[in-house]
Amino acid sequence: MSDRDSPPEDLQPISDIDPLIHAPTRLKIMAYLSIVESADFTFLMRQTGLTRGNLSVNLRKLEEAGYVSITKEFVDRIPRTLIRLTNDGRQAIQEYRENMQTVLSELLRD
Amino acid sequence: MSQDQDFKRLQQKTYQSYHQDGLIDIIIGLAIIGFGLNIAFDNSAFLFMGWLPIVFYVPLKNRITVPRIGYVKFYASNKLVFGLVITGLLVFMAGLFVFVLLGPSIISDCMQDWLRQYYMLIIASIAALCFLSAGLLTGITRLYVYALLFVLIFSAGTYLEIHPAIYVLLTGSLIEAAGIWLMIVFLRKYQLPAEENAHE
């Protein structure tokens, strides 16, 4: 990245924010997954208020980024799609929180 | 640390959401009713029957709650703390009973009389502590109401010298009724999804 392309120093914390997580729908998904060990598709849909299609699309993006793992299992012969954060996903949401905290702190300092 | 608080609140909201079905209340209510019937008829079979529904908690959760609002697995550490609080208090209660009933030689007559007169208040305090701890941990606010219910009803019962079975059964019935009401509201609010879309 050339000097012209790199963000000004005061904007550096904002540019550190992961855009994949920063999208409201994916942030909701990541936030819910970060507080539980795992959840199924129905639970995430109810909690986030997303439609089935919207949740599927966003989960796929998070899975492609390696932030979530999706597994299917059978409970009493009923299929259950279990979603959980991977270690990378957990680290990403932690970094996102820290970066956001930094951004907000700097805004308050100004 | 406001972000941590927000995440903690989100976690509590998730707990509340998962336990809005009233299943816990129904099981706790039955256990207390069993305890009340045990006192009334002096038959410990009722105590066993009261705790029996706990065996059906997971199957019922899988049959009633999971198809409607989905499945979530909370962190083992949270469940461990919750379990330890409950187990610790139950062990303390059991120990107290053994101490009062089997250890008359260890404690003075005066102390024995005091314990026999006010043991229901001790049980109420422990139960209230149990509900308060669970409420603080999970954010399920109705547990605070149950804690208050125990203290108020048991204190009034002891003060008015009512037979313990009556106020234990009253407390259990109120919690049971709350559980059934919550279950009805839950079943009305969350209809079963259409079969073909039930599982992604």
Side-chain angles (χ1 to χ4, degrees):
Chain A
M1 199 188 275
S2 70
D3 280 355
R4 233 183 77 197
D5 293 336
S6 56
E9 204 175 313
D10 57 337
L11 289 180
Q12 187 61 44
I14 295 176
S15 67
D16 285 343
I17 290 169
D18 187 342
L20 190 75
I21 303 180
H22 196 56
T25 45
R26 289 191 288 275
L27 181 57
K28 262 187 180 179
I29 297 168
M30 292 289 283
Y32 272 109
L33 287 175
S34 72
I35 54 161
V36 299
E37 198 177 310
S38 60
D40 75 354
F41 193 88
T42 312
F43 190 80
L44 272 182
M45 210 169 72
R46 290 274 191 203
Q47 294 297 313
T48 57
L50 298 174
T51 61
R52 194 168 288 275
N54 201 351
L55 182 59
S56 278
V57 168
N58 284 294
L59 277 176
R60 205 171 304 132
K61 282 182 185 168
L62 291 170
E63 193 184 21
E64 282 165 4
Y67 289 171
V68 300
S69 74
I70 302 172
T71 49
K72 284 195 189 255
E73 60 174 38
F74 283 85
V75 179
D76 296 332
R77 284 175 290 169
I78 297 168
R80 181 185 282 167
T81 307
L82 271 185
I83 303 134
R84 68 182 78 220
L85 279 189
T86 61
N87 287 338
D88 285 350
R90 210 159 285 285
Q91 197 180 331
I93 188 81
Q94 184 59 34
E95 279 172 12
Y96 175 83
R97 289 172 64 181
E98 285 166 7
N99 288 335
M100 282 300 286
Q101 192 69 56
T102 309
V103 170
L104 293 172
S105 305
E106 291 199 0
L107 283 174
L108 287 172
R109 207 174 51 194
D110 295 343
Chain B
M1 287 295 102
S2 66
Q3 271 195 32
D4 287 337
Q5 284 170 355
D6 289 343
F7 270 72
K8 177 87 185 159
R9 227 175 293 149
L10 187 67
Q11 195 172 36
Q12 291 189 335
K13 193 186 146 213
T14 313
Y15 266 122
Q16 287 166 13
S17 176
Y18 199 56
H19 295 296
Q20 62 182 314
D21 53 10
L23 205 53
I24 282 185
D25 313 65
I26 289 173
I27 285 173
I28 292 173
L30 283 175
I32 298 166
I33 289 171
F35 179 49
L37 290 173
N38 170 42
I39 297 171
F41 298 105
D42 198 19
N43 186 344
S44 52
F46 287 111
L47 204 61
F48 172 72
M49 277 164 63
W51 282 105
L52 196 62
I54 210 160
V55 177
F56 301 107
Y57 176 75
V58 174
L60 284 172
K61 201 83 180 165
N62 280 334
R63 188 161 279 270
I64 298 168
T65 316
V66 172
R68 287 174 171 83
I69 61 164
Y71 169 81
V72 62
K73 191 176 179 188
F74 294 101
Y75 281 116
S77 59
N78 293 346
K79 284 191 284 190
L80 189 70
V81 172
F82 187 63
L84 281 175
V85 169
I86 301 288
T87 311
L89 291 171
L90 285 175
V91 167
F92 179 76
M93 271 171 74
L96 189 75
F97 267 109
V98 171
F99 189 65
V100 173
L101 298 175
L102 303 177
S105 56
I106 306 168
I107 48 175
S108 67
D109 289 348
C110 175
M111 185 71 171
Q112 273 183 56
D113 290 342
W114 187 88
L115 282 173
R116 285 210 174 102
Q117 193 175 352
Y118 295 111
Y119 75 100
M120 291 309 279
L121 279 184
I122 298 171
I123 289 174
S125 308
I126 294 165
L129 208 64
C130 220
F131 281 117
L132 281 177
S133 313
L136 274 173
L137 199 75
T138 60
I140 303 173
T141 45
R142 64 181 186 274
L143 296 179
Y144 299 134
V145 179
Y146 296 163
L148 192 67
L149 210 62
F150 256 95
V151 173
L152 288 179
I153 294 178
F154 277 54
S155 302
T158 306
Y159 179 73
L160 298 170
E161 295 182 354
I162 299 169
H163 192 284
I166 295 170
Y167 55 82
V168 171
L169 284 170
L170 175 68
T171 312
S173 304
L174 286 173
I175 294 175
E176 189 66 22
I180 291 169
W181 181 74
L182 283 169
M183 177 69 82
I184 291 168
V185 171
F186 176 79
L187 293 177
R188 278 187 185 161
K189 188 175 173 186
Y190 299 102
Q191 306 286 328
L192 271 178
E195 195 61 37
E196 65 275 14
N197 292 324
H199 306 284
E200 186 66 16

Short mmCIF file of all heavy atoms in Angstrom, two decimals, chain B residues 102-163:
data_model
loop_
_atom_site.label_atom_id
_atom_site.label_comp_id
_atom_site.label_asym_id
_atom_site.label_seq_id
_atom_site.Cartn_x
_atom_site.Cartn_y
_atom_site.Cartn_z
N LEU B 102 -30.73 -36.41 63.19
CA LEU B 102 -29.87 -37.51 63.65
C LEU B 102 -28.82 -37.09 64.67
O LEU B 102 -28.17 -37.94 65.25
CB LEU B 102 -29.18 -38.18 62.45
CG LEU B 102 -30.09 -38.73 61.35
CD1 LEU B 102 -29.27 -39.29 60.20
CD2 LEU B 102 -31.01 -39.81 61.91
N GLY B 103 -28.67 -35.82 64.84
CA GLY B 103 -27.58 -35.42 65.73
C GLY B 103 -28.02 -34.67 66.98
O GLY B 103 -27.42 -33.64 67.32
N PRO B 104 -29.06 -35.19 67.68
CA PRO B 104 -29.50 -34.46 68.87
C PRO B 104 -28.44 -34.38 69.96
O PRO B 104 -28.47 -33.47 70.78
CB PRO B 104 -30.73 -35.24 69.34
CG PRO B 104 -30.64 -36.56 68.68
CD PRO B 104 -29.81 -36.41 67.46
N SER B 105 -27.52 -35.36 69.96
CA SER B 105 -26.51 -35.35 71.02
C SER B 105 -25.45 -34.27 70.77
O SER B 105 -24.77 -33.85 71.70
CB SER B 105 -25.85 -36.73 71.11
OG SER B 105 -25.31 -37.04 69.84
N ILE B 106 -25.33 -33.83 69.50
CA ILE B 106 -24.28 -32.86 69.16
C ILE B 106 -24.66 -31.45 69.61
O ILE B 106 -23.84 -30.68 70.05
CB ILE B 106 -24.00 -32.86 67.63
CG1 ILE B 106 -23.68 -34.27 67.15
CG2 ILE B 106 -22.87 -31.92 67.27
CD1 ILE B 106 -23.68 -34.41 65.65
N ILE B 107 -25.95 -31.13 69.47
CA ILE B 107 -26.38 -29.76 69.77
C ILE B 107 -27.23 -29.70 71.04
O ILE B 107 -27.87 -30.71 71.41
CB ILE B 107 -27.15 -29.15 68.58
CG1 ILE B 107 -28.22 -30.12 68.06
CG2 ILE B 107 -26.23 -28.73 67.47
CD1 ILE B 107 -29.10 -29.55 66.98
N SER B 108 -27.26 -28.55 71.62
CA SER B 108 -27.99 -28.39 72.88
C SER B 108 -29.49 -28.48 72.65
O SER B 108 -29.97 -28.28 71.54
CB SER B 108 -27.63 -27.05 73.51
OG SER B 108 -28.13 -26.03 72.68
N ASP B 109 -30.24 -28.77 73.72
CA ASP B 109 -31.70 -28.88 73.63
C ASP B 109 -32.31 -27.57 73.16
O ASP B 109 -33.25 -27.56 72.37
CB ASP B 109 -32.28 -29.25 75.00
CG ASP B 109 -31.95 -30.70 75.36
OD1 ASP B 109 -31.49 -31.42 74.44
OD2 ASP B 109 -32.14 -31.07 76.52
N CYS B 110 -31.75 -26.47 73.68
CA CYS B 110 -32.26 -25.14 73.34
C CYS B 110 -32.13 -24.89 71.84
O CYS B 110 -33.07 -24.42 71.18
CB CYS B 110 -31.48 -24.11 74.13
SG CYS B 110 -31.88 -22.44 73.73
N MET B 111 -30.97 -25.26 71.31
CA MET B 111 -30.69 -25.07 69.88
C MET B 111 -31.61 -25.96 69.04
O MET B 111 -32.14 -25.54 68.01
CB MET B 111 -29.22 -25.42 69.60
CG MET B 111 -28.77 -25.16 68.19
SD MET B 111 -28.65 -23.41 67.85
CE MET B 111 -27.85 -23.45 66.26
N GLN B 112 -31.80 -27.18 69.54
CA GLN B 112 -32.69 -28.12 68.84
C GLN B 112 -34.11 -27.56 68.75
O GLN B 112 -34.75 -27.61 67.70
CB GLN B 112 -32.75 -29.44 69.59
CG GLN B 112 -31.66 -30.42 69.23
CD GLN B 112 -31.85 -31.72 69.98
OE1 GLN B 112 -32.90 -32.33 69.89
NE2 GLN B 112 -30.84 -32.10 70.73
N ASP B 113 -34.58 -27.03 69.87
CA ASP B 113 -35.94 -26.46 69.91
C ASP B 113 -36.06 -25.32 68.91
O ASP B 113 -37.07 -25.21 68.20
CB ASP B 113 -36.28 -25.97 71.33
CG ASP B 113 -36.46 -27.14 72.28
OD1 ASP B 113 -36.65 -28.27 71.77
OD2 ASP B 113 -36.40 -26.92 73.50
N TRP B 114 -35.02 -24.48 68.91
CA TRP B 114 -35.04 -23.31 68.01
C TRP B 114 -35.08 -23.77 66.55
O TRP B 114 -35.87 -23.27 65.75
CB TRP B 114 -33.79 -22.45 68.25
CG TRP B 114 -33.81 -21.17 67.48
CD1 TRP B 114 -34.35 -19.98 67.88
CD2 TRP B 114 -33.27 -20.94 66.17
NE1 TRP B 114 -34.20 -19.04 66.90
CE2 TRP B 114 -33.54 -19.60 65.84
CE3 TRP B 114 -32.61 -21.73 65.24
CZ2 TRP B 114 -33.17 -19.02 64.63
CZ3 TRP B 114 -32.23 -21.17 64.03
CH2 TRP B 114 -32.51 -19.82 63.73
N LEU B 115 -34.25 -24.77 66.24
CA LEU B 115 -34.20 -25.29 64.86
C LEU B 115 -35.52 -25.94 64.47
O LEU B 115 -36.00 -25.76 63.35
CB LEU B 115 -33.05 -26.29 64.70
CG LEU B 115 -31.65 -25.69 64.55
CD1 LEU B 115 -30.59 -26.79 64.57
CD2 LEU B 115 -31.51 -24.89 63.27
N ARG B 116 -36.11 -26.70 65.42
CA ARG B 116 -37.37 -27.38 65.11
C ARG B 116 -38.49 -26.36 64.88
O ARG B 116 -39.39 -26.57 64.09
CB ARG B 116 -37.74 -28.34 66.25
CG ARG B 116 -36.87 -29.58 66.22
CD ARG B 116 -37.58 -30.81 66.77
NE ARG B 116 -36.73 -31.97 66.57
CZ ARG B 116 -36.00 -32.53 67.52
NH1 ARG B 116 -36.02 -32.05 68.74
NH2 ARG B 116 -35.26 -33.58 67.25
N GLN B 117 -38.41 -25.26 65.64
CA GLN B 117 -39.46 -24.24 65.51
C GLN B 117 -39.32 -23.43 64.22
O GLN B 117 -40.30 -23.07 63.58
CB GLN B 117 -39.40 -23.30 66.72
CG GLN B 117 -40.64 -22.43 66.83
CD GLN B 117 -40.63 -21.58 68.10
OE1 GLN B 117 -39.79 -21.75 68.97
NE2 GLN B 117 -41.58 -20.66 68.18
N TYR B 118 -38.07 -23.15 63.83
CA TYR B 118 -37.85 -22.24 62.70
C TYR B 118 -37.19 -22.89 61.49
O TYR B 118 -36.71 -22.19 60.61
CB TYR B 118 -37.01 -21.03 63.16
CG TYR B 118 -37.72 -20.17 64.18
CD1 TYR B 118 -37.27 -20.12 65.49
CD2 TYR B 118 -38.83 -19.42 63.83
CE1 TYR B 118 -37.93 -19.34 66.44
CE2 TYR B 118 -39.49 -18.64 64.77
CZ TYR B 118 -39.04 -18.61 66.07
OH TYR B 118 -39.68 -17.84 67.00
N TYR B 119 -37.19 -24.23 61.43
CA TYR B 119 -36.47 -24.86 60.32
C TYR B 119 -37.08 -24.50 58.97
O TYR B 119 -36.37 -24.43 57.96
CB TYR B 119 -36.38 -26.39 60.50
CG TYR B 119 -37.65 -27.16 60.22
CD1 TYR B 119 -37.83 -27.81 58.99
CD2 TYR B 119 -38.65 -27.25 61.16
CE1 TYR B 119 -38.99 -28.52 58.73
CE2 TYR B 119 -39.81 -27.96 60.91
CZ TYR B 119 -39.98 -28.59 59.70
OH TYR B 119 -41.13 -29.28 59.44
N MET B 120 -38.38 -24.23 58.93
CA MET B 120 -39.00 -23.87 57.65
C MET B 120 -38.49 -22.51 57.16
O MET B 120 -38.39 -22.27 55.96
CB MET B 120 -40.53 -23.86 57.75
CG MET B 120 -41.15 -25.23 57.93
SD MET B 120 -40.60 -26.45 56.72
CE MET B 120 -41.62 -26.09 55.33
N LEU B 121 -38.20 -21.63 58.12
CA LEU B 121 -37.64 -20.32 57.73
C LEU B 121 -36.23 -20.48 57.18
O LEU B 121 -35.84 -19.76 56.25
CB LEU B 121 -37.62 -19.37 58.94
CG LEU B 121 -38.93 -18.68 59.28
CD1 LEU B 121 -38.72 -17.71 60.42
CD2 LEU B 121 -39.50 -17.95 58.07
N ILE B 122 -35.49 -21.42 57.76
CA ILE B 122 -34.13 -21.68 57.25
C ILE B 122 -34.23 -22.23 55.83
O ILE B 122 -33.51 -21.79 54.93
CB ILE B 122 -33.37 -22.66 58.19
CG1 ILE B 122 -33.22 -22.04 59.58
CG2 ILE B 122 -32.00 -23.02 57.61
CD1 ILE B 122 -32.70 -22.98 60.64
N ILE B 123 -35.16 -23.16 55.64
CA ILE B 123 -35.35 -23.73 54.29
C ILE B 123 -35.75 -22.63 53.31
O ILE B 123 -35.23 -22.55 52.19
CB ILE B 123 -36.43 -24.85 54.33
CG1 ILE B 123 -35.86 -26.07 55.06
CG2 ILE B 123 -36.88 -25.23 52.91
CD1 ILE B 123 -36.87 -27.17 55.30
N ALA B 124 -36.67 -21.74 53.76
CA ALA B 124 -37.12 -20.64 52.89
C ALA B 124 -35.96 -19.73 52.51
O ALA B 124 -35.83 -19.31 51.35
CB ALA B 124 -38.22 -19.85 53.58
N SER B 125 -35.10 -19.43 53.49
CA SER B 125 -33.95 -18.55 53.23
C SER B 125 -33.01 -19.19 52.22
O SER B 125 -32.51 -18.52 51.31
CB SER B 125 -33.18 -18.27 54.52
OG SER B 125 -34.05 -17.83 55.51
N ILE B 126 -32.77 -20.50 52.40
CA ILE B 126 -31.87 -21.20 51.47
C ILE B 126 -32.47 -21.24 50.07
O ILE B 126 -31.78 -20.98 49.08
CB ILE B 126 -31.55 -22.63 51.99
CG1 ILE B 126 -30.75 -22.54 53.30
CG2 ILE B 126 -30.79 -23.43 50.96
CD1 ILE B 126 -30.68 -23.81 54.08
N ALA B 127 -33.77 -21.54 50.01
CA ALA B 127 -34.45 -21.58 48.70
C ALA B 127 -34.40 -20.20 48.04
O ALA B 127 -34.14 -20.08 46.85
CB ALA B 127 -35.88 -22.05 48.88
N ALA B 128 -34.64 -19.16 48.86
CA ALA B 128 -34.62 -17.79 48.33
C ALA B 128 -33.22 -17.45 47.80
O ALA B 128 -33.08 -16.86 46.72
CB ALA B 128 -35.03 -16.80 49.41
N LEU B 129 -32.22 -17.87 48.54
CA LEU B 129 -30.82 -17.63 48.13
C LEU B 129 -30.53 -18.34 46.81
O LEU B 129 -29.86 -17.81 45.93
CB LEU B 129 -29.90 -18.16 49.24
CG LEU B 129 -28.54 -17.49 49.39
CD1 LEU B 129 -28.70 -16.04 49.79
CD2 LEU B 129 -27.70 -18.24 50.42
N CYS B 130 -31.08 -19.54 46.73
CA CYS B 130 -30.93 -20.37 45.52
C CYS B 130 -31.53 -19.64 44.31
O CYS B 130 -30.89 -19.52 43.26
CB CYS B 130 -31.72 -21.64 45.76
SG CYS B 130 -30.98 -23.12 45.20
N PHE B 131 -32.75 -19.15 44.46
CA PHE B 131 -33.44 -18.46 43.36
C PHE B 131 -32.73 -17.14 43.03
O PHE B 131 -32.62 -16.77 41.86
CB PHE B 131 -34.91 -18.18 43.73
CG PHE B 131 -35.79 -19.38 43.57
CD1 PHE B 131 -36.44 -19.94 44.65
CD2 PHE B 131 -35.97 -19.98 42.33
CE1 PHE B 131 -37.25 -21.06 44.52
CE2 PHE B 131 -36.78 -21.09 42.17
CZ PHE B 131 -37.42 -21.64 43.27
N LEU B 132 -32.27 -16.44 44.07
CA LEU B 132 -31.57 -15.17 43.84
C LEU B 132 -30.28 -15.40 43.04
O LEU B 132 -30.00 -14.67 42.09
CB LEU B 132 -31.23 -14.49 45.17
CG LEU B 132 -32.35 -13.73 45.87
CD1 LEU B 132 -31.86 -13.18 47.20
CD2 LEU B 132 -32.85 -12.58 45.00
N SER B 133 -29.53 -16.42 43.43
CA SER B 133 -28.27 -16.73 42.72
C SER B 133 -28.56 -17.07 41.27
O SER B 133 -27.89 -16.58 40.36
CB SER B 133 -27.54 -17.91 43.37
OG SER B 133 -27.50 -17.75 44.74
N ALA B 134 -29.57 -17.92 41.07
CA ALA B 134 -29.92 -18.34 39.71
C ALA B 134 -30.41 -17.13 38.90
O ALA B 134 -30.07 -16.98 37.73
CB ALA B 134 -30.99 -19.42 39.75
N GLY B 135 -31.17 -16.25 39.56
CA GLY B 135 -31.67 -15.05 38.89
C GLY B 135 -30.54 -14.11 38.49
O GLY B 135 -30.52 -13.58 37.38
N LEU B 136 -29.59 -13.94 39.39
CA LEU B 136 -28.44 -13.07 39.10
C LEU B 136 -27.62 -13.62 37.95
O LEU B 136 -27.15 -12.88 37.10
CB LEU B 136 -27.55 -12.96 40.35
CG LEU B 136 -27.94 -11.89 41.35
CD1 LEU B 136 -27.08 -12.01 42.61
CD2 LEU B 136 -27.76 -10.50 40.76
N LEU B 137 -27.46 -14.93 37.95
CA LEU B 137 -26.63 -15.58 36.94
C LEU B 137 -27.28 -15.57 35.57
O LEU B 137 -26.62 -15.35 34.55
CB LEU B 137 -26.36 -17.02 37.38
CG LEU B 137 -25.18 -17.72 36.72
CD1 LEU B 137 -23.88 -17.21 37.28
CD2 LEU B 137 -25.28 -19.22 36.95
N THR B 138 -28.59 -15.82 35.54
CA THR B 138 -29.27 -15.98 34.25
C THR B 138 -30.02 -14.74 33.80
O THR B 138 -30.36 -14.64 32.62
CB THR B 138 -30.28 -17.15 34.33
OG1 THR B 138 -31.24 -16.83 35.34
CG2 THR B 138 -29.60 -18.45 34.66
N GLY B 139 -30.32 -13.83 34.72
CA GLY B 139 -31.09 -12.64 34.37
C GLY B 139 -32.59 -12.94 34.23
O GLY B 139 -33.34 -12.10 33.76
N ILE B 140 -33.01 -14.14 34.64
CA ILE B 140 -34.45 -14.48 34.60
C ILE B 140 -35.10 -13.84 35.82
O ILE B 140 -34.97 -14.34 36.94
CB ILE B 140 -34.67 -16.02 34.57
CG1 ILE B 140 -33.94 -16.62 33.36
CG2 ILE B 140 -36.15 -16.36 34.52
CD1 ILE B 140 -33.94 -18.14 33.32
N THR B 141 -35.82 -12.74 35.59
CA THR B 141 -36.28 -11.91 36.70
C THR B 141 -37.36 -12.57 37.56
O THR B 141 -37.48 -12.25 38.74
CB THR B 141 -36.80 -10.56 36.19
OG1 THR B 141 -37.63 -10.80 35.06
CG2 THR B 141 -35.68 -9.63 35.80
N ARG B 142 -38.13 -13.49 36.96
CA ARG B 142 -39.20 -14.11 37.77
C ARG B 142 -38.62 -14.94 38.92
O ARG B 142 -39.33 -15.23 39.88
CB ARG B 142 -40.14 -14.92 36.90
CG ARG B 142 -39.54 -16.13 36.20
CD ARG B 142 -40.58 -16.83 35.36
NE ARG B 142 -40.08 -18.07 34.79
CZ ARG B 142 -39.40 -18.17 33.64
NH1 ARG B 142 -39.16 -17.09 32.95
NH2 ARG B 142 -39.00 -19.35 33.20
N LEU B 143 -37.36 -15.32 38.81
CA LEU B 143 -36.74 -16.08 39.90
C LEU B 143 -36.62 -15.24 41.17
O LEU B 143 -36.68 -15.76 42.27
CB LEU B 143 -35.36 -16.61 39.47
CG LEU B 143 -35.36 -17.62 38.31
CD1 LEU B 143 -33.95 -18.04 37.96
CD2 LEU B 143 -36.20 -18.85 38.63
N TYR B 144 -36.48 -13.91 40.99
CA TYR B 144 -36.46 -13.02 42.16
C TYR B 144 -37.83 -13.03 42.85
O TYR B 144 -37.93 -12.98 44.07
CB TYR B 144 -36.13 -11.58 41.75
CG TYR B 144 -34.78 -11.41 41.10
CD1 TYR B 144 -34.62 -10.66 39.95
CD2 TYR B 144 -33.64 -11.98 41.66
CE1 TYR B 144 -33.38 -10.50 39.35
CE2 TYR B 144 -32.40 -11.83 41.06
CZ TYR B 144 -32.28 -11.09 39.91
OH TYR B 144 -31.05 -10.94 39.33
N VAL B 145 -38.88 -13.10 42.02
CA VAL B 145 -40.25 -13.13 42.57
C VAL B 145 -40.43 -14.42 43.38
O VAL B 145 -41.01 -14.40 44.47
CB VAL B 145 -41.30 -13.05 41.44
CG1 VAL B 145 -42.71 -13.10 42.00
CG2 VAL B 145 -41.11 -11.77 40.62
N TYR B 146 -39.90 -15.53 42.85
CA TYR B 146 -40.02 -16.81 43.58
C TYR B 146 -39.26 -16.73 44.90
O TYR B 146 -39.71 -17.28 45.91
CB TYR B 146 -39.47 -17.96 42.74
CG TYR B 146 -40.25 -18.22 41.46
CD1 TYR B 146 -39.71 -18.97 40.42
CD2 TYR B 146 -41.54 -17.71 41.28
CE1 TYR B 146 -40.42 -19.21 39.25
CE2 TYR B 146 -42.23 -17.93 40.12
CZ TYR B 146 -41.67 -18.68 39.10
OH TYR B 146 -42.37 -18.91 37.94
N ALA B 147 -38.11 -16.07 44.89
CA ALA B 147 -37.33 -15.92 46.12
C ALA B 147 -38.16 -15.16 47.17
O ALA B 147 -38.24 -15.56 48.33
CB ALA B 147 -36.03 -15.17 45.83
N LEU B 148 -38.78 -14.09 46.70
CA LEU B 148 -39.61 -13.27 47.59
C LEU B 148 -40.82 -14.06 48.11
O LEU B 148 -41.18 -13.98 49.28
CB LEU B 148 -40.07 -12.02 46.83
CG LEU B 148 -40.68 -10.90 47.65
CD1 LEU B 148 -39.66 -10.27 48.57
CD2 LEU B 148 -41.28 -9.83 46.73
N LEU B 149 -41.39 -14.84 47.19
CA LEU B 149 -42.55 -15.67 47.51
C LEU B 149 -42.22 -16.64 48.65
O LEU B 149 -42.99 -16.77 49.61
CB LEU B 149 -42.91 -16.47 46.25
CG LEU B 149 -44.36 -16.86 46.02
CD1 LEU B 149 -45.22 -15.62 45.89
CD2 LEU B 149 -44.48 -17.71 44.75
N PHE B 150 -41.07 -17.28 48.55
CA PHE B 150 -40.63 -18.22 49.59
C PHE B 150 -40.53 -17.53 50.94
O PHE B 150 -41.06 -18.00 51.94
CB PHE B 150 -39.27 -18.81 49.21
CG PHE B 150 -39.36 -20.22 48.69
CD1 PHE B 150 -39.43 -20.46 47.33
CD2 PHE B 150 -39.41 -21.29 49.56
CE1 PHE B 150 -39.53 -21.75 46.84
CE2 PHE B 150 -39.51 -22.58 49.08
CZ PHE B 150 -39.57 -22.81 47.71
N VAL B 151 -39.85 -16.38 50.94
CA VAL B 151 -39.62 -15.68 52.21
C VAL B 151 -40.96 -15.22 52.81
O VAL B 151 -41.22 -15.45 54.00
CB VAL B 151 -38.66 -14.49 52.00
CG1 VAL B 151 -38.55 -13.66 53.26
CG2 VAL B 151 -37.28 -14.98 51.58
N LEU B 152 -41.80 -14.61 51.97
CA LEU B 152 -43.07 -14.07 52.48
C LEU B 152 -44.01 -15.16 52.98
O LEU B 152 -44.52 -15.08 54.10
CB LEU B 152 -43.76 -13.24 51.39
CG LEU B 152 -43.13 -11.90 51.04
CD1 LEU B 152 -43.90 -11.20 49.93
CD2 LEU B 152 -43.06 -11.00 52.27
N ILE B 153 -44.24 -16.17 52.13
CA ILE B 153 -45.21 -17.21 52.49
C ILE B 153 -44.72 -18.04 53.69
O ILE B 153 -45.47 -18.31 54.62
CB ILE B 153 -45.53 -18.12 51.27
CG1 ILE B 153 -46.25 -17.30 50.19
CG2 ILE B 153 -46.39 -19.31 51.69
CD1 ILE B 153 -46.59 -18.06 48.93
N PHE B 154 -43.45 -18.40 53.68
CA PHE B 154 -42.92 -19.22 54.78
C PHE B 154 -42.88 -18.41 56.09
O PHE B 154 -43.14 -18.96 57.16
CB PHE B 154 -41.53 -19.76 54.43
CG PHE B 154 -41.55 -21.01 53.58
CD1 PHE B 154 -42.26 -21.04 52.39
CD2 PHE B 154 -40.88 -22.15 53.97
CE1 PHE B 154 -42.29 -22.19 51.60
CE2 PHE B 154 -40.90 -23.30 53.19
CZ PHE B 154 -41.59 -23.31 52.00
N SER B 155 -42.56 -17.12 55.99
CA SER B 155 -42.53 -16.29 57.21
C SER B 155 -43.94 -16.16 57.77
O SER B 155 -44.16 -16.32 58.98
CB SER B 155 -41.99 -14.89 56.90
OG SER B 155 -40.72 -14.97 56.37
N ALA B 156 -44.90 -15.88 56.88
CA ALA B 156 -46.30 -15.73 57.32
C ALA B 156 -46.79 -17.04 57.92
O ALA B 156 -47.45 -17.05 58.97
CB ALA B 156 -47.17 -15.32 56.14
N GLY B 157 -46.46 -18.16 57.26
CA GLY B 157 -46.88 -19.47 57.74
C GLY B 157 -46.32 -19.78 59.12
O GLY B 157 -47.04 -20.27 60.00
N THR B 158 -45.05 -19.46 59.31
CA THR B 158 -44.40 -19.72 60.61
C THR B 158 -45.01 -18.81 61.68
O THR B 158 -45.31 -19.25 62.79
CB THR B 158 -42.87 -19.48 60.51
OG1 THR B 158 -42.37 -20.26 59.44
CG2 THR B 158 -42.16 -19.85 61.78
N TYR B 159 -45.19 -17.53 61.31
CA TYR B 159 -45.73 -16.55 62.27
C TYR B 159 -47.15 -16.92 62.69
O TYR B 159 -47.51 -16.84 63.86
CB TYR B 159 -45.69 -15.16 61.63
CG TYR B 159 -46.23 -14.06 62.51
CD1 TYR B 159 -45.50 -13.61 63.61
CD2 TYR B 159 -47.48 -13.48 62.26
CE1 TYR B 159 -46.00 -12.61 64.42
CE2 TYR B 159 -47.98 -12.49 63.07
CZ TYR B 159 -47.25 -12.06 64.15
OH TYR B 159 -47.74 -11.07 64.97
N LEU B 160 -47.97 -17.34 61.71
CA LEU B 160 -49.38 -17.67 61.98
C LEU B 160 -49.55 -19.11 62.48
O LEU B 160 -50.67 -19.56 62.72
CB LEU B 160 -50.23 -17.45 60.73
CG LEU B 160 -50.29 -16.01 60.20
CD1 LEU B 160 -50.95 -15.94 58.83
CD2 LEU B 160 -51.01 -15.10 61.18
N GLU B 161 -48.41 -19.81 62.57
CA GLU B 161 -48.39 -21.20 63.04
C GLU B 161 -49.32 -22.11 62.22
O GLU B 161 -50.07 -22.93 62.75
CB GLU B 161 -48.72 -21.27 64.53
CG GLU B 161 -47.64 -20.60 65.37
CD GLU B 161 -47.90 -20.67 66.87
OE1 GLU B 161 -48.97 -21.15 67.26
OE2 GLU B 161 -47.02 -20.23 67.62
N ILE B 162 -49.28 -21.92 60.91
CA ILE B 162 -50.03 -22.78 59.99
C ILE B 162 -49.20 -24.05 59.79
O ILE B 162 -47.97 -24.02 59.85
CB ILE B 162 -50.25 -22.04 58.64
CG1 ILE B 162 -51.07 -20.77 58.87
CG2 ILE B 162 -50.93 -22.94 57.62
CD1 ILE B 162 -51.11 -19.85 57.66
N HIS B 163 -49.88 -25.15 59.50
CA HIS B 163 -49.15 -26.40 59.25
C HIS B 163 -48.23 -26.19 58.03
O HIS B 163 -48.68 -25.71 56.99
CB HIS B 163 -50.14 -27.54 58.98
CG HIS B 163 -49.48 -28.89 59.00
ND1 HIS B 163 -48.70 -29.36 57.96
CD2 HIS B 163 -49.46 -29.86 59.96
CE1 HIS B 163 -48.24 -30.55 58.27
NE2 HIS B 163 -48.68 -30.89 59.47
#
